[in-house]
Amino acid sequence: MAENESHCSSALAKPMREICEEDWRRSHGGGTGGGITGGASDNVRDFAESVIKKIIALVAPKDAWAPKSADSALYEPFLWLGQHLAVAVFVCVVVVCGLTAWQGAPRLRQMGASTGWTLAAVAGMATVPGTVMMLNKAVSAAFTTAFNSNESTLFKVILNDLQQGADKDVPLAKLLTVSALVVALAPAALVFITRNLGILAFVCMAPLVLASLARGGDTTAVKTWTMRLLGLMFCPFALILVSPFVQLAHGSLVVDTVLLLAADALMLRMVFHGIPYFGPKVARGARTVVERRTDNRVAHAVVRAGAPDVYEQENAPRPRRTVNTPGRAVHQDRGVLLAAYGVRQQQKRSGRPTPQSAAAHAAERSDRSAQIKAARSQVRASGSPPTPSPAAAPSSPAPAPATGAGRPSTP
């Protein structure tokens, strides 16, 4: 301070002296603000924290656009339509059972099941809005609590790395992290709109889906509707799935940025395509690693029991694998709902493959056809299979004449 006073002793007036001392403190990093660098670091962290709060508010909002009660002006027309549709379906079932009463017990069981399922469907229609609203609040509270209580979550680690990370003083690392957070606002907004519109659509469609139970207890459409709705509501937890990999960052802002982008991609994938099911692939990979690294028979038996060998039959159909896009998923759900009412959906003509796709498919099948031909020629060269002994063969008046090696002639 003595040096500061001697440096500013030439100031004649008090205001000029105060300005000189303030400039001296800022230039030497003193004072409460920590200098220009410290203030900028605090501003970056505050901005990142505000962006993270906005992302959490968009991904898991406390309030949804769906109606809160059955007497809502938006939900009441669908409830009226669903109840009358359930009663109409039940009347049709009763009429059919009455016309076919000569069949006895099966028709009585069908009419009893239809009566019980109709009452359950009508009662369940009124409880859907309240149940969905309570579940949405529970998901939002659980998601917020998980992120605020655990220090190993992605957003908490990003905030800590901005202050204590290994590259906290690297401007490029901070720029990448803040840019990734800003870019993450776009997927968060997309998830917000998709979730709210999807939940609204599924809640309004609930009476029509539940009315299909009156036909006799066909729960296929209800299960499909429930799984789609739960997939939309629980998609925010995709951000927690990357928490086990956060410890690998070791205070690196660049790795935190990569994990944030991966979490955004996984969340969008769960919104549009459901939960990825990669368990069998991981199990087979773990079995391969264990069999290559160790010769212990007990370990081999354990991994083979967890991931057994699966053999494909030679004549089994081998359709090409496809991923359910949102359009294809909606088309399938519509078919399930129509089938629950007994309406067969008109099958559209399958799409024709392009020349490139047909050539690739033919190349894939050529290798398999060559292997099958080689195996058959090897079996023929080794000789025909042994014929059964006369004692084991069944007695018959006259055996059919054989036209080939071990194969009876066809009429």
Side-chain angles (χ1 to χ4, degrees):
M1 188 66 183
E3 183 180 1
N4 186 13
E5 291 177 354
S6 62
H7 176 76
C8 300
S9 60
S10 60
L12 299 178
K14 186 176 180 180
M16 297 296 296
R17 182 181 179 84
E18 292 178 355
I19 293 174
C20 179
E21 291 177 356
E22 183 69 20
D23 182 70
W24 178 267
R25 285 195 298 267
R26 289 183 179 179
S27 61
H28 286 75
T32 58
I36 299 177
T37 305
S41 178
D42 293 340
N43 292 335
V44 170
R45 190 182 185 280
D46 294 340
F47 177 72
E49 188 174 0
S50 63
V51 173
I52 287 174
K53 290 181 179 179
K54 191 63 177 178
I55 291 175
I56 295 177
L58 289 175
V59 170
K62 297 181 180 179
D63 298 327
W65 295 349
K68 298 182 180 180
S69 58
D71 56 354
S72 174
L74 180 62
Y75 185 74
E76 192 172 3
F78 293 94
L79 179 62
W80 179 88
L81 179 61
Q83 290 176 349
H84 285 73
L85 183 60
V87 173
V89 172
F90 174 69
V91 170
C92 293
V93 171
V94 172
V95 171
V96 171
C97 291
L99 294 177
T100 57
W102 55 272
Q103 295 183 0
R107 291 305 180 186
L108 291 178
R109 285 196 299 266
Q110 181 182 2
M111 190 168 60
S114 181
T115 303
W117 281 110
T118 302
L119 295 177
V122 173
M125 292 176 189
T127 61
V128 169
T131 303
V132 172
M133 187 58 58
M134 292 177 60
L135 183 59
N136 181 72
K137 291 183 178 180
V139 168
S140 176
F143 181 80
T144 306
T145 303
F147 264 95
N148 293 333
S149 62
N150 195 352
E151 294 295 333
S152 62
T153 54
L154 180 59
F155 291 151
K156 285 287 186 179
V157 170
I158 290 177
L159 293 178
N160 293 334
D161 290 345
L162 286 174
Q163 283 188 337
Q164 305 172 2
D167 48 1
K168 62 179 181 179
D169 297 329
V170 180
L172 181 59
K174 289 186 176 181
L175 179 61
L176 288 175
T177 304
V178 174
S179 301
L181 288 174
V182 174
V183 171
L185 284 174
L190 181 60
V191 169
F192 174 78
I193 296 175
T194 306
R195 286 186 75 245
N196 282 279
L197 291 178
I199 293 174
L200 176 62
F202 277 100
V203 170
C204 292
M205 195 175 58
L208 305 180
V209 177
L210 293 175
S212 64
L213 295 175
R215 187 169 173 258
D218 187 6
T219 59
T220 305
V222 179
K223 289 179 180 178
T224 304
W225 168 80
T226 305
M227 294 306 296
R228 297 288 183 185
L229 180 60
L230 293 179
L232 280 174
M233 301 193 71
F234 284 93
C235 71
F237 288 96
L239 292 173
I240 303 181
L241 295 179
V242 299
S243 297
F245 304 98
V246 171
Q247 299 300 328
L248 301 177
H250 294 293
S252 176
L253 291 174
V254 178
V255 181
D256 293 338
T257 304
V258 174
L259 290 177
L260 178 60
L261 296 178
D264 292 336
L266 181 60
M267 184 169 54
L268 291 178
R269 199 271 181 204
M270 292 180 65
V271 168
F272 291 105
H273 301 293
I275 300 177
Y277 186 63
F278 47 84
K281 293 183 179 180
V282 174
R284 287 194 294 266
R287 173 182 170 176
T288 302
V289 171
V290 171
E291 290 179 346
R292 290 179 179 177
R293 297 296 180 87
T294 181
D295 296 333
N296 191 350
R297 295 183 178 180
V298 177
H300 287 188
V302 170
V303 295
R304 288 173 183 173
D309 292 323
V310 179
Y311 298 98
E312 184 181 2
Q313 297 181 2
E314 181 179 336
N315 296 328
R318 301 176 71 246
R320 302 180 69 85
R321 283 181 149 184
T322 57
V323 179
N324 285 333
T325 60
R328 188 181 294 115
V330 171
H331 181 75
Q332 292 177 354
D333 294 345
R334 182 179 61 185
V336 171
L337 180 59
L338 292 177
Y341 288 106
V343 180
R344 291 186 178 182
Q345 188 178 10
Q346 183 179 2
Q347 296 292 337
K348 297 182 179 180
R349 187 178 64 178
S350 59
R352 297 180 180 179
T354 60
Q356 294 81 3
S357 177
H361 188 54
E364 292 177 1
R365 293 185 61 88
S366 61
D367 297 337
R368 178 176 172 83
S369 301
Q371 294 177 1
I372 294 175
K373 289 181 180 179
R376 287 176 177 174
S377 61
Q378 185 178 1
V379 171
R380 291 194 185 99
S382 62
S384 59
T387 57
S389 59
S395 60
S396 57
T403 58
R407 293 183 300 177
S409 61
T410 56

